[in-house]
Amino acid sequence: MSSNKSAPAMNRSIIEVMFKVRANVRFGEEVRVSGNVPALGCYSPERTIPLVTSKADYPCWSTKSALFLPGDNGLVNYRYCIFSGGKFVRWENEEVKRPLYIEPGDRDKLKTTMDYLGSFDQCEYLSSAVIPSITEKRSFKTRQLHSWSLKNQRDVNLDPASDAVVIVSYFLPVILDKSSDGKWSAIWDEENVIGLQLNIRTTWVGSVKYRGGIKPEDEEKICDVLRPLNCNPLFLNHEDHHQFYDLFCKGTLWPVLHHVADVYGPLRLDDNNPSNQENLWHTYNKVCLKFRNKVVEVYHEGDLIWIQGFHLCCLPAHLRRKVPLAKICVFFHTPFPSTEIWRTMSRREELLSGLLSADQVGFHLYEYARHFLTGCRRMLGHHYEYNPNGELTINANGREVIVTPIHVGIDLALMERILQRPSLYPAALEWKKKFPNRVIIAGIDRLERLKGIPLKLFAIEELMAENPQYRGKLAFVIIGVSAEERQTDYQQTRHDVSIIVSRINKKYSIEGDSVPVVHFEERDDRSIALEQRLAFFAAADILISSALRDGLNRMPIEFTLARARCGLMCEPKECQPTLPGGSMPNEGLVIVSEFVTSTRVMRGSLVVNPYRVDAVKNALKRALEMDSVERSDRMRRNLEFSVRLTASAWADEVLRDLKQVEKSGDIEALGLGANFRVVGVRAGFHPLDMTAMTKVFRQCTKRLILLDWGGTLVAEADKQDKLHFYALSQGHATRTGPTAELTEVLKGLCADKRNIVFVVSGKEINAVSEFFGNILQLNLGAEHGFYYSWNDDNLFGTNESVSPVQGGAPRSRRASIDDQRKWRTMSELGEAQWKEAAMVVMDVYVQRTHGTYIEQKGHALIWQYRDADPEFGYLQSKELEENLSMALAGYGGVEVLRGGGVSDGYVEVRPSGISKGLFLEHILSLLKTRNLEVDFLLTVGDDSSDEPMFEVVESLLSRGSNSSLNAYSVTVGKKPTAARAYIDDPASVLEMLGMLNKSIRSSVTPRPEDIKEALSGMSLNITKDNSRPTLYVNSSPNMTPPLNNPSFSKLLTPTVQTQVGSSSGAVSQSTSRRSGSRGSFDRLAIEIQASSSLTASRTDLWRAGGSVERCPSAEDEKEKNVPEVTEEAEGDDAIFF
C-alpha cells in the first residue's frame, strides 16, 4: 500500500530528471546544482545537489541518481555552482537562471531522460527558449579570452536613437533582378551575414553583382532601387573588377588566407612578373580609394564603420586620412594563415599595416587571431598583450588595436520564419521518399579543391568496402555548388568527383536497386538557398563537412536547428531505417573537419582530420552505430550554441566593442605605401616651430642644450643593418661621426658663454671622446650621462676625475683628447663583481638561443636578441630577466632591464640610477648650487633612451617652479613619445642648430650692462663755441652684432646720455662704412650736446661669443687720411674705441 503511495514517478505532474553539465574547473573544485524547488535545495548553498565525474567522463558532470521534480513547464529553474574543499565558492557566471523545459508528452507517461537540462523537446527549446539580450550580458569574447575579467561588467550599449553604423563589403547583400520589360528590382539576401538587420541606423556600401554585368545607363535605375534599402552601390568597370576581385583577391589573396602556397602546382610564367604584380597592386589600391570616397560620402560624425571580409584590407588606411577619428572595424570571414604562409605574400607588410589602421580586427576563431598577432609581431615588430579590460590588443605605434575572436551564429528569427513555412515539410519529405529505408548522410560543398570532396568520397568507398552489411541501408547525398570563379580548379574538381562517384556506385550498389550509394548533383547558389538547404537537412540523419580548409561555415548550425525543429515530422514510418546499432532518432549527428570554424563551437560534433581517409571512415561508422544516449547528448551540445550566440548577438557584441574604443585627436597618419602607419601621439604634439624657438633663444641669457648622438646628430645605419650593429658591438667597425658642418655649428654654439651644450649618448666614453673630444668647449655625456665631462671647473672644485675606460678607438688618437678632459660620474661607482655573474648567466642563453650575443658597453652588459627568432628570443628574454634578477639579488646598485622591440630587443644589466632623465636633473641641480637658473632648455633625441629626458622636461613645465623657463623637448621623427614636438630627421636637426648658431652671430641683442662697461670713465671736452661734439664708435671687421643693428643704437644712445650728463641727449646718429688696414668697418656717429671735458680712451665695446672685439686703432685711420684724435683736440672731437 505504502509502496503505491510513494511512487511519484507515476504521477502525471512529476518528472524524473538527471542533470548533466560539461564544466572545466580548477583542480580540487566540484560542480553542484540547485534550483527553486525543495528537491533542488531552493538555491541554498548548504542544500545543493552534488554532481560527479570520472577520468573517462571529465569534463562531463552528472547527478548520482535521478531527481523527482515537478512536471509543469516553466515551474522549475536552476543554476550550477562551484565548491572547493567542501566549501561554497561561487555561482556560475550567468545571472540568468536556467529554465527546465518539459516535453508535453512527459506529463502523460513516465519518461527518464539523461540530459543535464532535463527532459526537453528540441522543437520546444528552439521556439520558446529565452535568449538573453547580449546587451544585458558581459562580453562573450572576454569570457572566451579572460574569464577573470567578468567581474568588470561593461555598460556600453548601442543606442538606437544616436548610434549608427556604415557596413562596407565588396558586394552588397542584395539580389538584383531585371524583368523582361527592363525594370530592376532588389531584395535582401537573407542568408548573407552582412545583410543582418540591426536595431540602429545602418547604411551599406558595396559594389553590386548581376550575371551579365551592369550597363552604365542602368546605374541610376539601380541606385533608385537600392535607396529604400539604405544601400549605396559602387560601380566598377569590368577591367577593375577583374583585376581586383578575380586576380588579386581570389587569385592571390584568397589561397594564401586558406593556407595554400603551392609552388609545385600549375604556375603561369607571368604570375610573378614584377610589372603584373605592380599593376594588380595599383588596381587594388585604386578600388580601395573608390570605396573610401563612397564611405566618406555617406559617413556622419560619430558613425561606426564596419568593413566585412578580406577584400578591403587597405581601406582602413585610406579612410584614416579622411576621417581620422572614425571608429573602424575589419572582420574576416575567412581563415588567417600562419606567418610562414603569410610571408609568401609580396605585399604582406602593406596589407598588415592597412589592417592595423583600424581600431578593431575580428576573426571567427582565436586560432586565426593568433596567426594575425604573430604576423604583426614578426613582420612589423608590434607587441600584443591583454589590456586591463581583458581585451587582446596590439600596440601599433602608440595605438591599441583590439583583436576580437568571436564566432558568428545564425539569425534565429529568420530560421524560425523559414522553418514554419508550409512548403518546407513537403520538400523534406520528398528527400526522404527518394531514399526510403536508408540513413541519409548529407553534404553540401563547393566544387573546389579545398572543400575536400574527393577525399570524402575515398572514405565512403573504404567504408562500403569494409562493411558490406551497410549495402542498401545508406545513401550518401552530396550536393556540389558551382564555383565557376575558381576556373581550372572548379573544372578539375568536378571531373574528379564524377569519376569517383561512378566507381563507387558501380561497385557497391545493389543490383536492381534504383537508389545509388552516392547521389551527387550540382547546383548553383540560388537553387540551394537557405530554404532548400533546411529542407534537405531536415530529411538527413548525418551531416558530413570535411573541408580541407574553410572559413565561415554555418551549415552544421543550420543542420542542427533543422533536425531539432523538423526531424520527427520528416520521418514517415515506411522510410525509417534500421541499423545494427539501433534505429536512428530524430537527433542529427555532425561530422566536421577540424579545419572548419564551426568545429570550435559545435562541441557535440565528431571532429575528423579530412586528410586521414581512415579517420573519416571510422567517424562515419561510429555515427551509424552510436547509442541513443550519446546521440542525444551531442545534439544537446550543438543545439546549446546554435540558439545562444545568434548573428544579432554577434553583431551587437562586435559593435559594442568598437563603440567603447576611446578616440581623440591624438593620432596621425604618416608615410606612403609600405611606410604608411597610423601613429598615436600625445595631445599637443606638433612639428617644431624653429623660427619661434630661435626668437626665444635670442632673448634668453642662460641656455642648456642636451643633444643625443646616434639617430639625432647623425643618421645611424646600424639600426637597420643588423650585421653592422653586431660589428659595432664587438669592436669590429667604427661608428658614424659628426660631419665638418656639424662640428662647426657645435663650435659656434659653444663659443657663446651663455650656452651650455652637451652631447649625451648611450655609447661608452671612448666612442664619445673619439668623435667629439676635439671640440674642447663642448660638454660630453657617455653611457646615458653616467659619465660626463663638463668644462667648468668652478662647479666641482677638487672632485676627483675618472679615467676613461680602455678599448674602442685607438689610444693614439684618444691620448691627446683624454688628457684635456676630466670625466666624472653622477653617483658613486661601486664594485663590478656582478659583471662576472651576469656574464655567466648571459652566456648560457647565448648558447641556447641562436642569433644572440653579448655586448659590453662601458659598465653595462647587454644581451642582444635582435637577430634571433622574434618569438623565441622574446620568450628567452623574459626567462633571462628572471634568472638575472635572482642571480644578482645579492649585489647592490645593479638593475636588470628588458627593452627594445621585436626587431631590436635586449636585456641589459647596468649600475642602477642611469638614464638621461636623471642626468638632466643632475645638471640642473649643479647649476642651482651656483644660483644659476636656466631660462632656455632644449633636449633633442630619437629613441626610447631619450624618453626619460623628455619626461623630466614635461615635469619641469607641469610643476611651473621656474616661470621664466622656456623648455623644448624634441624627438626626431613622428612617433609615440613624451616629447612635445618633433623634427623630421638628423638633417633637420642640423638645420635647427644652424639657425640657433646664426642668431648668435647676427641677431643677438646687446646687453645694456656690457655697453655701460665699455663707456665707463669717458667724458667729453668742448673747445669751440657753438660746436657740437660727435662720438664715433668704430666696429672691427668681424664684430657681432654690427653697429647698424637697431638694437645696438637703441641701447647705446641712452647709455652715452647717462655718461656725459647731457640734458637733451643725442641729437642725431648715423652709420657709415670705412676702410682700414684690417678691412672694412662700420662707424656709428652720435652728435651729443654736452659741456664737460672730453677724454678719449680705447676699451672693449662688449663681450660677444666669449671673445673680446676691439675697434680699429688710430693707425688704421691714418692710412685713410683720417685725422688722429688727441686727448686735447680742438674743434669737433672724435673718440675712437
Side-chain angles (χ1 to χ4, degrees):
M1 173 92 54
S2 79
S3 175
N4 293 334
K5 290 181 180 180
S6 62
M10 302 304 295
N11 193 305
R12 296 180 59 181
S13 63
I14 298 297
I15 185 171
E16 188 178 14
V17 180
M18 173 171 281
F19 288 89
K20 198 171 184 181
V21 62
R22 183 183 181 90
N24 289 285
V25 297
R26 300 186 182 94
F27 181 79
E29 291 184 343
E30 61 177 326
V31 183
R32 297 190 182 188
V33 66
S34 186
N36 63 336
V37 294
L40 292 176
C42 296
Y43 289 119
S44 172
E46 294 78 18
R47 298 172 57 191
T48 53
I49 309 300
L51 277 70
V52 296
T53 187
S54 65
K55 184 177 181 181
D57 294 335
Y58 184 81
C60 291
W61 300 73
S62 61
T63 50
K64 295 180 180 179
S65 58
L67 303 175
F68 293 99
L69 301 175
D72 294 330
N73 209 354
L75 180 63
V76 179
N77 56 65
Y78 60 95
R79 295 176 65 192
Y80 292 98
C81 59
I82 302 297
F83 273 64
S84 180
K87 296 182 180 180
F88 174 81
V89 177
R90 64 185 180 276
W91 292 103
E92 62 176 321
N93 289 327
E94 297 293 342
E95 298 294 336
V96 179
K97 296 175 182 177
R98 300 173 180 265
L100 183 62
Y101 291 98
I102 308 300
E103 183 179 5
D106 291 341
R107 298 188 182 96
D108 301 320
K109 61 180 180 180
L110 176 62
K111 181 178 180 180
T112 302
T113 63
M114 301 290 290
D115 193 7
Y116 92 108
L117 289 177
S119 177
F120 72 98
D121 178 71
Q122 287 88 344
C123 307
E124 188 70 16
Y125 186 87
L126 176 61
S127 60
S128 61
V130 177
I131 308 300
S133 171
I134 197 71
T135 59
E136 299 174 358
K137 295 170 59 180
R138 300 176 179 92
S139 167
F140 173 78
K141 174 262 308 171
T142 304
R143 293 200 306 274
Q144 194 176 30
L145 296 177
H146 261 316
S147 59
W148 58 84
S149 68
L150 287 171
K151 56 186 178 183
N152 298 322
Q153 184 169 357
R154 301 180 309 175
D155 52 351
V156 177
N157 296 317
L158 296 177
D159 185 359
S162 59
D163 290 329
V165 61
V166 179
I167 297 180
V168 188
S169 62
Y170 185 69
F171 290 119
L172 287 172
V174 296
I175 300 174
L176 285 176
D177 193 19
K178 187 177 182 181
S179 64
S180 57
D181 58 356
K183 291 184 178 181
W184 288 91
S185 62
I187 59 173
W188 281 110
D189 184 358
E190 292 182 328
E191 59 183 283
N192 193 326
V193 67
I194 303 170
L196 186 68
Q197 302 298 308
L198 305 175
N199 61 347
I200 60 176
R201 178 172 58 85
T202 308
T203 304
W204 284 267
V205 173
S207 66
V208 290
K209 59 179 176 179
Y210 179 74
R211 186 179 295 273
I214 296 173
K215 299 178 180 179
E217 56 268 21
D218 291 330
E219 293 179 359
E220 187 62 33
K221 298 177 183 177
I222 292 175
C223 290
D224 295 336
V225 168
L226 294 178
R227 192 171 293 114
L229 301 178
N230 215 14
C231 290
N232 296 269
L234 186 73
F235 299 100
L236 302 174
N237 61 52
H238 175 74
E239 185 61 26
D240 285 349
H241 169 78
H242 175 65
Q243 291 196 18
F244 177 91
Y245 185 76
D246 296 328
L247 297 184
F248 189 84
C249 291
K250 299 296 286 187
T252 302
L253 189 54
W254 190 90
V256 172
L257 289 173
H258 288 78
H259 295 72
V260 175
D262 188 1
V263 296
Y264 292 105
L267 183 67
R268 297 190 305 271
L269 294 178
D270 59 347
D271 281 354
N272 293 323
N273 187 296
S275 61
N276 289 345
Q277 287 188 355
E278 195 63 31
N279 289 338
L280 289 180
W281 180 245
H282 173 75
T283 303
Y284 181 79
N285 278 282
K286 183 173 72 172
V287 172
C288 286
L289 283 171
K290 291 183 178 181
F291 270 86
R292 180 199 68 180
N293 296 336
K294 179 61 70 172
V295 172
V296 172
E297 180 182 320
V298 302
Y299 174 81
H300 296 84
E301 185 176 354
D303 287 357
L304 307 175
I305 300 177
W306 194 1
I307 302 170
Q308 303 275 2
F310 69 95
H311 308 89
L312 302 167
C313 293
C314 289
L315 180 57
H318 295 299
L319 282 171
R320 194 61 71 191
R321 294 184 180 276
K322 291 290 186 180
V323 282
L325 297 184
K327 297 180 180 181
I328 304 173
C329 171
V330 180
F331 205 99
F332 274 71
H333 300 293
T334 61
F336 197 89
S338 65
T339 307
E340 293 304 309
I341 301 296
W342 181 256
R343 69 194 306 174
T344 62
M345 283 290 298
S346 60
R347 297 287 182 172
R348 56 196 186 189
E349 290 88 359
E350 290 93 328
L351 293 169
L352 288 179
S353 297
L355 291 170
L356 291 180
S357 298
D359 301 291
Q360 182 183 16
V361 182
F363 301 91
H364 288 298
L365 297 180
Y366 176 73
E367 174 186 341
Y368 305 151
R370 177 170 53 83
H371 290 162
F372 177 72
L373 295 169
T374 304
C376 291
R377 177 195 286 276
R378 286 178 172 269
M379 298 178 188
L380 301 181
H382 297 322
H383 288 290
Y384 58 86
E385 60 185 359
Y386 289 100
N387 66 12
N389 294 329
E391 296 167 328
L392 193 58
T393 60
I394 297 177
N395 190 335
N397 299 311
R399 298 171 53 250
E400 275 194 355
V401 180
I402 300 173
V403 178
T404 302
I406 179 171
H407 199 286
V408 65
I410 44 82
D411 187 343
L412 197 58
L414 173 64
M415 292 287 293
E416 275 292 298
R417 291 198 304 270
I418 296 178
L419 288 172
Q420 291 175 1
R421 291 177 182 174
S423 60
L424 186 135
Y425 301 105
L429 192 58
E430 284 300 317
W431 281 107
K432 273 293 183 184
K433 290 181 177 180
K434 281 185 179 180
F435 310 100
N437 299 313
R438 281 172 169 77
V439 175
I440 298 178
I441 304 172
I444 300 178
D445 304 280
R446 295 190 72 82
L447 287 170
E448 53 185 324
R449 183 174 43 175
L450 280 179
K451 301 309 177 184
I453 302 178
L455 290 177
K456 181 195 303 186
L457 292 172
F458 290 150
I460 294 172
E461 189 174 23
E462 285 197 10
L463 176 72
M464 299 306 296
E466 297 178 5
N467 299 274
Q469 70 273 19
Y470 291 153
R471 297 178 66 178
K473 297 181 179 181
L474 305 179
F476 295 91
V477 184
I478 299 175
I479 296 178
V481 182
S482 302
E484 296 179 357
E485 70 276 7
R486 297 300 301 158
Q487 299 175 0
T488 305
D489 185 13
Y490 161 65
Q491 298 292 341
Q492 183 64 46
T493 303
R494 185 172 64 170
H495 177 264
D496 294 343
V497 169
S498 176
I499 292 176
I500 302 172
V501 168
S502 299
R503 185 175 69 216
I504 294 175
N505 289 333
K506 184 177 180 180
K507 291 174 63 176
Y508 302 110
S509 293
I510 298 176
E511 187 175 353
D513 192 346
S514 60
V515 179
V517 176
V518 178
H519 172 80
F520 174 79
E521 60 181 83
E522 181 179 353
R523 297 191 181 187
D524 59 21
D525 290 300
R526 289 195 177 187
S527 62
I528 192 64
L530 182 58
E531 182 175 352
Q532 288 79 24
R533 290 202 304 271
L534 292 178
F536 177 49
F537 290 152
D541 301 294
I542 300 173
L543 173 70
I544 178 169
S545 176
S546 57
L548 305 181
R549 184 71 62 175
D550 205 356
L552 177 60
N553 187 338
R554 296 186 292 176
M555 289 186 189
I557 304 176
E558 296 171 359
F559 172 80
T560 300
L561 294 176
R563 288 294 299 177
R565 183 68 167 170
C566 312
L568 286 176
M569 301 178 184
C570 302
E571 293 285 352
K573 291 184 178 180
E574 65 273 14
C575 297
Q576 289 183 359
T578 56
L579 289 171
S583 62
M584 293 293 292
N586 77 307
E587 290 96 345
L589 288 176
V590 177
I591 301 174
V592 63
S593 164
E594 64 182 71
F595 302 110
V596 176
T597 58
S598 55
T599 302
R600 308 297 191 275
V601 294
M602 303 291 285
R603 305 305 300 172
S605 305
L606 293 174
V607 181
V608 296
N609 178 357
Y611 293 96
R612 289 192 58 184
V613 174
D614 60 329
V616 179
K617 174 200 67 179
N618 294 334
L620 284 168
K621 186 175 181 180
R622 181 182 176 187
L624 293 169
E625 300 178 355
M626 188 177 294
D627 64 82
S628 60
V629 174
E630 184 178 354
R631 274 196 296 269
S632 177
D633 183 61
R634 288 184 176 276
M635 180 69 175
R636 188 265 309 160
R637 290 189 226 171
N638 287 340
L639 192 61
E640 181 185 1
F641 174 82
S642 301
V643 298
R644 179 167 58 86
L645 187 63
T646 62
S648 58
W650 163 79
D652 196 78
E653 183 64 29
V654 172
L655 292 177
R656 287 176 60 234
D657 281 349
L658 182 60
K659 181 182 176 181
Q660 74 170 356
V661 173
E662 296 182 2
K663 302 289 288 186
S664 66
D666 305 335
I667 60 172
E668 293 283 349
L670 306 176
L672 297 171
N675 296 321
F676 176 83
R677 63 197 185 281
V678 180
V679 177
V681 296
R682 53 168 292 168
F685 188 65
H686 55 80
L688 178 65
D689 188 342
M690 296 187 193
T691 303
M693 187 187 70
T694 303
K695 184 177 180 180
V696 173
F697 178 83
R698 287 199 306 263
Q699 298 170 354
C700 296
T701 59
K702 199 61 181 177
R703 312 164 185 137
L704 177 60
I705 302 174
L706 271 67
L707 306 170
D708 177 46
W709 174 9
T712 302
L713 294 178
V714 296
E716 279 193 327
D718 57 276
K719 289 193 174 183
Q720 288 77 35
D721 189 342
K722 294 184 177 182
L723 180 60
H724 185 58
F725 185 92
Y726 173 77
L728 286 174
S729 66
Q730 305 302 311
H732 303 317
T734 59
R735 304 182 186 276
T736 304
T739 62
E741 182 181 4
L742 175 60
T743 301
E744 290 302 315
V745 169
L746 292 175
K747 287 181 178 179
L749 288 172
C750 295
D752 189 341
K753 288 191 174 181
R754 289 168 289 184
N755 298 336
I756 302 173
V757 184
F758 272 93
V759 171
V760 187
S761 173
K763 300 173 178 61
E764 64 277 5
I765 290 178
N766 294 333
V768 178
S769 295
E770 177 185 0
F771 293 107
F772 294 96
N774 59 339
I775 308 176
L776 297 180
Q777 293 172 315
L778 178 65
N779 307 300
L780 303 178
E783 298 187 28
H784 305 297
F786 185 75
Y787 297 102
Y788 65 96
S789 171
W790 194 347
N791 296 312
D792 192 342
D793 291 334
N794 295 327
L795 288 170
F796 305 103
T798 59
N799 281 9
E800 184 177 341
S801 62
V802 180
S803 301
V805 181
Q806 297 301 316
R811 179 64 185 171
S812 59
R813 177 172 179 178
R814 288 198 319 272
S816 60
I817 298 173
D818 293 342
D819 292 343
Q820 301 176 54
R821 286 193 175 272
K822 295 180 180 179
W823 288 89
R824 296 172 173 83
T825 60
M826 280 196 296
S827 59
E828 186 82 19
L829 186 62
E831 298 295 331
Q833 289 93 343
W834 57 266
K835 276 194 173 183
E836 184 178 352
M839 182 70 78
V840 171
V841 177
M842 285 184 174
D843 189 62
V844 171
Y845 283 83
V846 169
Q847 303 300 322
R848 291 171 52 180
T849 314
H850 297 299
T852 62
Y853 54 89
I854 301 173
E855 177 185 1
Q856 298 192 49
K857 184 183 286 187
H859 280 73
L861 288 178
I862 304 175
W863 182 77
Q864 296 280 0
Y865 66 93
R866 59 191 298 154
D867 295 338
D869 178 88
E871 293 289 324
F872 186 56
Y874 179 75
L875 294 174
Q876 291 290 81
S877 71
K878 294 173 65 176
E879 185 179 326
L880 174 60
E881 181 186 23
E882 295 175 0
N883 288 333
L884 284 172
S885 299
M886 290 187 293
L888 303 177
Y891 298 92
V894 182
E895 60 183 354
V896 180
L897 303 174
R898 183 166 58 91
V902 175
S903 59
D904 58 352
Y906 64 87
V907 176
E908 180 177 4
V909 183
R910 68 186 187 188
S912 57
I914 296 179
S915 76
K916 293 182 181 180
L918 293 175
F919 175 68
L920 175 56
E921 292 178 336
H922 181 69
I923 296 300
L924 293 174
S925 66
L926 288 177
L927 290 172
K928 197 170 184 179
T929 59
R930 292 186 61 189
N931 297 320
L932 295 176
E933 287 286 351
V934 173
D935 56 0
F936 180 89
L937 174 60
L938 172 63
T939 57
V940 189
D942 75 303
D943 58 22
S944 58
S945 67
D946 302 302
E947 292 300 315
M949 184 168 60
F950 300 149
E951 291 168 0
V952 171
V953 174
E954 185 64 25
S955 176
L956 291 173
L957 292 173
S958 60
R959 290 202 306 261
S961 55
N962 183 359
S963 59
S964 62
L965 176 63
N966 299 282
Y968 297 85
S969 52
V970 183
T971 186
V972 179
K974 212 170 188 181
K975 62 174 76 74
T977 177
R980 291 200 168 193
Y982 69 91
I983 200 166
D984 291 334
D985 49 34
S988 300
V989 175
L990 178 59
E991 179 186 356
M992 174 192 69
L993 297 177
M995 289 181 64
L996 297 181
N997 189 41
K998 184 178 180 181
S999 70
I1000 296 174
R1001 295 182 55 85
S1002 60
S1003 303
V1004 176
T1005 302
R1007 295 183 297 174
E1009 58 268 25
D1010 291 334
I1011 299 176
K1012 289 181 180 180
E1013 180 183 355
L1015 299 176
S1016 61
M1018 290 191 313
S1019 63
L1020 300 179
N1021 183 18
I1022 303 175
T1023 59
K1024 290 184 178 180
D1025 293 337
N1026 299 324
S1027 64
R1028 180 169 295 163
T1030 300
L1031 174 65
Y1032 290 101
V1033 181
N1034 297 334
S1035 70
S1036 66
N1038 297 320
M1039 180 177 171
T1040 57
L1043 291 176
N1044 60 3
N1045 188 309
S1047 299
F1048 182 90
S1049 302
K1050 184 177 180 181
L1051 289 171
L1052 180 60
T1053 301
T1055 304
V1056 173
Q1057 176 182 340
T1058 301
Q1059 293 292 327
V1060 301
S1062 173
S1063 59
S1064 59
V1067 295
S1068 66
Q1069 57 186 19
S1070 61
T1071 305
S1072 60
R1073 190 71 173 168
R1074 298 295 181 110
S1075 299
S1077 60
R1078 293 184 295 167
S1080 300
F1081 60 92
D1082 291 329
R1083 168 175 287 180
L1084 178 64
I1086 302 178
E1087 297 180 358
I1088 300 174
Q1089 293 179 350
S1091 58
S1092 60
S1093 174
L1094 178 63
T1095 303
S1097 63
R1098 289 189 174 92
T1099 182
D1100 297 338
L1101 183 59
W1102 75 81
R1103 298 177 181 272
S1107 61
V1108 178
E1109 298 286 356
R1110 294 184 178 275
C1111 297
S1113 63
E1115 287 75 15
D1116 298 328
E1117 295 300 311
K1118 287 182 180 179
E1119 296 179 4
K1120 295 298 179 181
N1121 298 319
V1122 178
E1124 183 177 0
V1125 180
T1126 63
E1127 294 182 3
E1128 298 292 337
E1130 296 289 337
D1132 292 341
D1133 298 327
I1135 301 178
F1136 294 91
F1137 296 87

mmCIF file of all heavy atoms in Angstrom, residues 1-8:
data_model
loop_
_atom_site.group_PDB
_atom_site.id
_atom_site.type_symbol
_atom_site.label_atom_id
_atom_site.label_comp_id
_atom_site.label_asym_id
_atom_site.label_seq_id
_atom_site.Cartn_x
_atom_site.Cartn_y
_atom_site.Cartn_z
ATOM 1 N N MET A 1 0.839 -1.195 0.000
ATOM 2 C CA MET A 1 0.000 0.000 0.000
ATOM 3 C C MET A 1 0.872 1.242 0.000
ATOM 4 O O MET A 1 0.724 2.125 -0.809
ATOM 5 C CB MET A 1 -0.902 -0.012 1.228
ATOM 6 C CG MET A 1 -1.676 1.269 1.406
ATOM 7 S SD MET A 1 -3.297 1.325 0.652
ATOM 8 C CE MET A 1 -4.170 -0.076 1.252
ATOM 9 N N SER A 2 1.806 1.279 1.020
ATOM 10 C CA SER A 2 2.671 2.449 1.069
ATOM 11 C C SER A 2 3.534 2.543 -0.142
ATOM 12 O O SER A 2 3.914 3.603 -0.558
ATOM 13 C CB SER A 2 3.506 2.427 2.336
ATOM 14 O OG SER A 2 4.574 1.580 2.207
ATOM 15 N N SER A 3 3.873 1.413 -0.727
ATOM 16 C CA SER A 3 4.687 1.440 -1.931
ATOM 17 C C SER A 3 3.967 2.162 -3.043
ATOM 18 O O SER A 3 4.563 2.924 -3.783
ATOM 19 C CB SER A 3 5.045 0.007 -2.357
ATOM 20 O OG SER A 3 5.718 0.025 -3.562
ATOM 21 N N ASN A 4 2.675 1.930 -3.173
ATOM 22 C CA ASN A 4 1.941 2.597 -4.220
ATOM 23 C C ASN A 4 1.830 4.088 -3.952
ATOM 24 O O ASN A 4 1.873 4.904 -4.845
ATOM 25 C CB ASN A 4 0.539 1.974 -4.355
ATOM 26 C CG ASN A 4 0.583 0.559 -4.862
ATOM 27 O OD1 ASN A 4 1.523 0.208 -5.547
ATOM 28 N ND2 ASN A 4 -0.427 -0.238 -4.525
ATOM 29 N N LYS A 5 1.745 4.487 -2.682
ATOM 30 C CA LYS A 5 1.629 5.894 -2.349
ATOM 31 C C LYS A 5 2.929 6.643 -2.603
ATOM 32 O O LYS A 5 2.923 7.841 -2.778
ATOM 33 C CB LYS A 5 1.229 6.069 -0.881
ATOM 34 C CG LYS A 5 -0.201 5.631 -0.624
ATOM 35 C CD LYS A 5 -0.550 5.860 0.838
ATOM 36 C CE LYS A 5 -1.984 5.433 1.121
ATOM 37 N NZ LYS A 5 -2.376 5.623 2.531
ATOM 38 N N SER A 6 4.015 5.949 -2.540
ATOM 39 C CA SER A 6 5.303 6.639 -2.677
ATOM 40 C C SER A 6 5.885 6.482 -4.070
ATOM 41 O O SER A 6 7.063 6.379 -4.247
ATOM 42 C CB SER A 6 6.298 6.090 -1.657
ATOM 43 O OG SER A 6 6.506 4.721 -1.916
ATOM 44 N N ALA A 7 5.085 6.423 -5.039
ATOM 45 C CA ALA A 7 5.561 6.291 -6.411
ATOM 46 C C ALA A 7 5.291 7.563 -7.173
ATOM 47 O O ALA A 7 4.442 7.629 -8.028
ATOM 48 C CB ALA A 7 4.903 5.099 -7.098
ATOM 49 N N PRO A 8 6.034 8.644 -6.855
ATOM 50 C CA PRO A 8 5.780 9.914 -7.504
ATOM 51 C C PRO A 8 6.093 9.885 -8.971
ATOM 52 O O PRO A 8 5.587 10.693 -9.736
ATOM 53 C CB PRO A 8 6.689 10.884 -6.754
ATOM 54 C CG PRO A 8 7.784 10.031 -6.221
ATOM 55 C CD PRO A 8 7.179 8.725 -5.945
#
